[in-house]
Amino acid sequence: MPTMMPRILAAGLGVSAVALAAGATYQAAATRRDRRLIPGPGSDVDIGGRTLRVHTTGLGEQPGPTVVFESGMATPLELWAWIQEGVAGFAPTVAYDRAGIGRSAPGPLPRTAECTTDDLEALLEAVGAQPPYVLVAHSYGGLLVRHFAERHPEQVAGLVLADVAHPEELVRSQRQRVGLPFVEQYLRDSMWQSTIGMIRLNPHSDRRFRIDGLPEEARLSAKAAFCTRQMWHGSYAEFEAWQSDVNAEVRDAKLPPQCRLYVLTAGATVTGDPVHLQLQEELARLSDDAVHEIVDEVEHIELITHEQPAARVVAAVQNVVRAVREQRALHPADHKSGKER
């Protein structure tokens, strides 16, 4: 029997190698099919030797300011579908995929806030977007818009921060620290599973990626993006840079003088982590002209992907846009529901 073991092991490894090769072949073919059948919203724009996917509305047609969306980590631009559609009714908009995310080509490593700001600068110029800008961010994107705003204070007139990250959350929130290894494992598993086509075979992928609340076209397009190997490699690169570079780059970032700031906090996030509320309140104090709203009983991702809470984000953006146009401060009275601080 011992003499048979090497043969059995070799046979098993051979079968595994064949299965992995078959999975990789299936993944490559399915990705090509998706690119043909589900091209996604927007178009690819060259920013100097590589492309970023961008979806714009109303540029050169709607009056400013221009509303620019910055996504959370591991999320393609389709997750802004409800909000971009709502904002497009009263302002020009720009939503995009960062380098290596969604349908955008990978960029230089590490993916620092400086790199992302460089890319966004080049993209806004390439599509002809005009300042002033109102930057709207979710989750990890909140760190990136703060960096952009500090570097371009003359261009940024307002920020809307939808349950965004705080640069000290991994230090001060025990829940965030405990959850960090699970986030890393999720990203690693997704990189592996997307390489051999396993994500495509998961019948519950919509719930896994929390995209079941999106409009149908956006849901299908986002799902196609989540199934790609590039999406997860790009997301893991941002995960690493978040800890090694981005938090430090943004920790002392200041907002421009007179910057209107609207902070929305997901109520369910606060329930699970009381420190999160403290951090969100600190973000609201970054500007003397700020409104802080808690959207009760709403989860972190549902704040932007479900129609009803997304409408609250649209209302916040509209309040900031109006204040910029009328050259006035934000008024808490502009907000009709929810809690303010």
Side-chain angles (χ1 to χ4, degrees):
M1 178 64 70
T3 59
M4 294 292 293
M5 288 304 296
R7 297 180 184 177
I8 295 173
L9 289 172
L13 290 173
V15 170
S16 297
V18 170
L20 293 176
T25 300
Y26 162 69
Q27 169 68 14
T31 299
R32 289 193 298 270
R33 179 201 64 203
D34 284 351
R35 287 173 181 166
R36 185 177 71 256
L37 300 179
I38 313 174
S43 59
D44 297 328
V45 174
D46 187 276
I47 61 165
R50 55 189 171 89
T51 61
L52 297 180
R53 174 57 64 97
V54 60
H55 178 45
T56 68
T57 67
L59 294 182
E61 301 170 0
Q62 292 271 31
T66 304
V67 177
V68 181
F69 298 99
E70 190 70 77
S71 302
M73 188 177 294
T75 55
L77 66 84
E78 287 88 345
L79 270 67
W80 291 109
W82 288 119
I83 298 170
Q84 186 171 21
E85 179 183 356
V87 174
F90 57 83
T93 71
V94 177
Y96 79 111
D97 286 329
R98 291 189 296 274
I101 306 299
R103 293 167 176 83
S104 287
L109 299 177
R111 295 308 303 160
T112 62
E114 187 77 7
C115 281
T116 301
T117 292
D118 288 343
D119 283 359
L120 184 53
E121 287 174 3
L123 180 68
L124 292 173
E125 181 177 358
V127 299
Q130 297 296 314
Y133 301 121
V134 170
L135 307 178
V136 183
H138 177 246
S139 195
Y140 174 70
L143 299 171
L144 303 177
V145 297
R146 286 180 61 188
H147 185 274
F148 186 98
E150 182 175 58
R151 198 158 94 177
H152 296 289
E154 75 289 352
Q155 295 183 4
V156 177
L159 271 70
V160 177
L161 305 180
D163 211 43
V164 302
H166 187 290
E168 293 187 354
E169 64 184 37
L170 296 179
V171 176
R172 294 166 55 185
S173 169
Q174 181 180 6
R175 184 179 179 88
Q176 291 287 342
R177 289 196 303 275
V178 169
L180 190 65
F182 296 97
V183 174
E184 181 171 15
Q185 190 59 53
Y186 170 79
L187 292 172
R188 286 183 177 275
D189 289 346
S190 297
M191 283 194 291
W192 168 245
Q193 292 171 12
S194 63
T195 300
I196 59 174
M198 287 180 63
I199 287 181
R200 296 178 180 280
L201 301 176
N202 183 349
H204 307 296
S205 59
D206 285 9
R207 289 199 297 274
R208 175 185 178 183
F209 303 130
R210 311 293 293 276
I211 57 175
D212 48 314
L214 290 173
E216 182 67 4
E217 186 174 352
R219 182 188 66 80
L220 292 173
S221 182
K223 183 175 181 178
F226 279 123
C227 285
T228 64
R229 179 177 181 272
Q230 172 186 286
M231 177 76 188
W232 298 106
H233 281 262
S235 298
Y236 192 78
E238 289 197 336
F239 175 78
E240 291 186 307
W242 171 42
Q243 299 166 78
S244 64
D245 295 281
V246 175
N247 283 327
E249 289 176 280
V250 179
R251 184 166 287 115
D252 298 321
K254 302 294 190 296
L255 295 188
Q258 313 303 319
C259 183
R260 292 96 175 159
L261 174 63
Y262 210 119
V263 176
L264 299 107
T265 301
T269 311
V270 172
T271 301
D273 181 9
V275 175
H276 184 68
L277 178 58
Q278 299 172 19
L279 299 174
Q280 294 286 294
E281 289 173 336
E282 287 185 12
L283 292 175
R285 292 196 290 271
L286 288 172
S287 173
D288 293 333
D289 184 11
V291 173
H292 184 193
E293 172 189 345
I294 299 175
V295 186
D296 292 325
E297 300 180 358
V298 171
E299 298 283 350
H300 175 68
I301 192 68
E302 291 175 356
L303 183 58
I304 66 168
T305 61
H306 285 231
E307 185 174 13
Q308 187 172 354
R312 303 280 285 273
V313 181
V314 173
V317 175
Q318 189 166 34
N319 286 337
V320 175
V321 167
R322 285 175 174 169
V324 173
R325 287 176 178 166
E326 297 169 12
Q327 298 184 342
R328 61 167 173 81
L330 280 174
H331 300 315
D334 287 345
H335 174 58
K336 304 302 181 184
S337 61
K339 301 176 183 177
E340 293 175 359
R341 281 172 165 71

